[in-house]
Amino acid sequence: MHTPTNPDGTSLPPHSCDLIRQPVVPPTAQPPGLLSTRTALILFAALIAGVLIGVLTHLSTRDLAAAVLAGLAAGGVCIPALHGLIKH
């Protein structure tokens, strides 16, 4: 009867013939992204709110400069508000 051995020539313990010994490869470390998902969500929601307020302002006043300023102000105000609403 043949005794099972490891690739290095040492014998395997009893009842371990069906185990496959493979080297353990650590997972590759991925660098962290520039923004977290939470930050991206907050900025995207503020962008949407700013654009919406800007469009509504332009439709009501027909003044492009006022619409741009209103949209920027709305987006800027939304960022801290959303930061407080969306928890970690």
Side-chain angles (χ1 to χ4, degrees):
M1 181 171 160
H2 182 278
T3 304
T5 59
N6 286 324
D8 62 355
T10 59
S11 63
L12 292 172
H15 306 295
S16 65
C17 299
D18 51 0
L19 293 178
I20 298 174
R21 302 207 181 235
Q22 295 179 351
V24 177
V25 178
T28 58
Q30 295 179 351
L34 181 63
L35 296 175
S36 68
T37 305
R38 179 178 175 268
T39 303
L41 176 68
I42 288 172
L43 292 176
F44 182 69
L47 174 72
I48 296 299
V51 168
L52 181 65
I53 295 299
V55 167
L56 291 175
T57 302
H58 181 66
L59 289 175
S60 67
T61 63
R62 300 286 183 213
D63 186 9
L64 184 61
V68 169
L69 288 175
L72 288 173
V77 168
C78 282
I79 291 174
L82 290 170
H83 175 70
L85 287 174
I86 302 172
K87 299 296 180 189
H88 293 276

